[in-house]
């Protein structure tokens, strides 16, 4: 049976997390379908047609899905789920919001944040904040899986011509217990956090939201995304959509610069797969130094301006 990938997109193109999930799906089945749900998503379809290894693009274009309510999307997925052996989505906020609901509707167990596909029924996933890698096997007829996208390479775009199938039967959550109220979008010229090649992340050591702005100069020089530890987010230094860690976003850039971050295990689980890790902290015993490739012990308010000046 084919595998189904639930597409995360921004109404213009597929996100990198989706391309990585497609790669994981190819290890589960020889036939891959992708489901694109939303409203006015013509540009996403054009982007999806370029992706290799996709045989069919399922399209649900309806006003009911304009606000991406996870209840509505899960209800729609559930009506076509029996056609698939695997249903996969990236382990992002988008995927984590939808697939648990799908698993509940199908009465199956979800397999969360897989990092490796051993065979179509056996997977590896981190537990205990990434300190242990568990090998799990599922006997469910339909396997519902979220994928830690940073552990898989992106599917290539080489002009593949997939078949487009429009789903006309709309199924959505009719209970008014969950309604859309408003959305606040934060636009940035910097790279997207989960796909950036360089990430500059700050922690509680920065001391305030005003001090956090010191990272912007460094990020601009490096064309980097800005991230934060949960401690910094909880303290109100920066928006929670930039949180990295077990309860935030998972990143694995080429270069990760941790500034004023002590290195709690919950944060490390979200960035420890970065290729090169640079840590700056005035506490020489900070746990972040245990996993860093390069460490600087000192006052970040003296070190960062020197970095910016050197890069100018």
């Amino acid at each position: 049976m084919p595998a189904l990938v639930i597409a995360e997109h921004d109404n213009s193109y597929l996100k990198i997390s989706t391309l990585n999930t497609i790669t994981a799906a190819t290890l589960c089945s020889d036939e891959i379908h992708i489901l694109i749900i939303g409203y006015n998503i013509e540009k996403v379809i054009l982007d999806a047609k370029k992706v290799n290894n996709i045989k069919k693009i399922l399209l649900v274009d309806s006003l009911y899905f304009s606000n991406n309510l996870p209840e509505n999307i899960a209800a729609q997925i559930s009506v076509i789920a029996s056609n698939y052996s695997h249903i996969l989505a990236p382990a992002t906020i988008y995927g984590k919001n939808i697939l648990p609901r799908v698993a509940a509707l199908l009465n199956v167990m979800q397999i969360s944040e897989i990092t490796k596909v051993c065979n179509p029924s056996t997977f590896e996933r981190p537990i205990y904040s990434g300190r242990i890698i568990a090998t799990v096997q599922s006997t469910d007829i339909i396997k519902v899986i979220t994928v830690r996208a940073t552990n898989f390479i992106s599917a290539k775009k080489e002009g593949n011509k997939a078949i487009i199938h429009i789903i006309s039967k709309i199924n959505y959550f009719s209970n008014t217990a969950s309604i859309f109220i408003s959305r606040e979008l934060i636009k940035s010229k910097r790279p997207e956090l989960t796909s950036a090649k360089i990430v500059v992340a700050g922690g509680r050591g920065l001391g305030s939201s005003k001090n956090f702005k010191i990272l912007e100069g460094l990020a601009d020089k490096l064309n980097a995304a800005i991230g934060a530890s949960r401690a910094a987010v909880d303290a109100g230094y920066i928006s929670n959509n930039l949180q990295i860690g077990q309860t935030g976003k998972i990143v694995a850039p080429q270069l990760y610069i941790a500034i004023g971050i002590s290195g709690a295990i919950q944060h490390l689980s979200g960035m420890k797969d970065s290729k090169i890790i640079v840590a700056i902290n005035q506490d020489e015993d900070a746990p972040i130094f245990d996993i860093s490739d390069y460490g600087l012990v000192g006052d970040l308010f003296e070190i960062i301006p020197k970095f910016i000046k050197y890069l100018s």
Side-chain angles (χ1 to χ4, degrees):
M1 294 179 71
L4 179 67
V5 173
I6 312 304
E8 181 177 12
H9 60 85
D10 70 346
N11 276 30
S12 296
Y13 60 89
L14 298 177
K15 293 197 172 183
I16 295 293
S17 58
T18 299
L19 298 178
N20 295 12
T21 301
I22 290 169
T23 299
T26 62
L27 303 173
C28 299
S29 174
D30 293 331
E31 183 175 333
I32 309 302
H33 297 179
I34 183 170
L35 174 63
I36 304 175
I37 297 181
Y39 182 57
N40 288 335
I41 49 178
E42 293 83 2
K43 292 181 180 179
V44 187
I45 301 167
L46 294 175
D47 189 44
K49 287 180 69 175
K50 301 174 185 176
V51 181
N52 289 2
N53 299 319
I54 297 176
K55 184 172 182 179
K56 184 182 290 186
I57 299 171
L58 305 181
L59 174 63
V60 181
D61 191 341
S62 170
L63 183 62
Y64 290 114
F65 303 106
S66 59
N67 295 317
N68 285 330
L69 278 179
E71 291 86 354
N72 287 351
I73 296 175
Q76 183 66 51
I77 294 169
S78 68
V79 300
I80 61 172
S82 61
N83 299 322
Y84 297 96
S85 60
H86 298 73
I87 299 175
L88 304 94
T92 57
I93 293 172
Y94 180 83
K96 290 178 179 179
N97 239 347
I98 295 169
L99 284 205
R101 291 175 165 87
V102 173
L105 290 171
L106 300 178
N107 195 28
V108 300
M109 181 73 73
Q110 177 178 297
I111 305 170
S112 301
E113 297 203 36
I114 66 165
T115 55
K116 182 179 179 181
V117 178
C118 302
N119 60 53
S121 63
T122 309
F123 312 89
E124 289 185 1
R125 60 177 300 269
I127 58 175
Y128 296 110
S129 301
R131 285 175 285 188
I132 298 174
I133 301 298
T135 301
V136 296
Q137 188 174 55
S138 172
T139 57
D140 287 327
I141 296 175
I142 303 173
K143 297 166 181 60
V144 177
I145 302 166
T146 59
V147 177
R148 183 168 286 194
T150 55
N151 286 79
F152 298 87
I153 62 173
S154 295
K156 293 182 179 180
K157 296 181 180 180
E158 296 176 340
N160 183 42
K161 299 295 183 181
I163 299 170
I164 297 177
H165 175 70
I166 298 174
I167 297 177
S168 56
K169 182 180 179 181
I170 304 299
N171 189 55
Y172 63 93
F173 186 71
S174 59
N175 193 325
T176 56
S178 178
I179 60 172
F180 176 78
I181 297 175
S182 66
R183 176 181 291 114
E184 182 179 341
L185 297 177
I186 300 174
K187 295 184 178 181
S188 174
K189 295 180 180 179
R190 297 191 181 91
E192 186 179 354
L193 182 57
T194 53
S195 60
K197 293 182 179 180
I198 303 174
V199 172
V200 175
R204 185 162 39 196
L206 283 152
S208 69
S209 57
K210 182 179 179 180
N211 290 342
F212 219 93
K213 295 185 182 297
I214 195 174
L215 301 187
E216 295 180 0
L218 181 59
D220 289 341
K221 292 294 183 183
L222 296 171
N223 190 31
I226 289 181
S229 67
R230 177 169 180 171
V233 169
D234 288 348
Y237 299 167
I238 197 166
S239 171
N240 63 0
N241 70 307
L242 299 180
Q243 181 180 323
I244 296 169
Q246 185 179 11
T247 54
K249 295 181 177 178
I250 307 297
V251 300
Q254 297 295 318
L255 174 62
Y256 187 90
I257 304 176
I259 301 171
I261 295 175
S262 62
I265 187 64
Q266 291 84 357
H267 181 77
L268 300 186
S269 68
M271 47 67 70
K272 63 184 179 64
D273 291 327
S274 303
K275 305 304 181 289
I276 298 175
I277 300 172
V278 176
I280 302 172
N281 201 297
Q282 63 181 1
D283 179 7
E284 63 182 17
D285 296 321
I288 191 70
F289 289 125
D290 294 338
I291 68 162
S292 62
D293 298 286
Y294 301 95
L296 291 172
V297 178
D299 187 344
L300 65 90
F301 297 108
E302 294 179 1
I303 294 172
I304 300 306
K306 290 180 180 178
F307 269 10
I308 295 172
K309 184 178 180 180
Y310 176 79
L311 293 168
S312 298

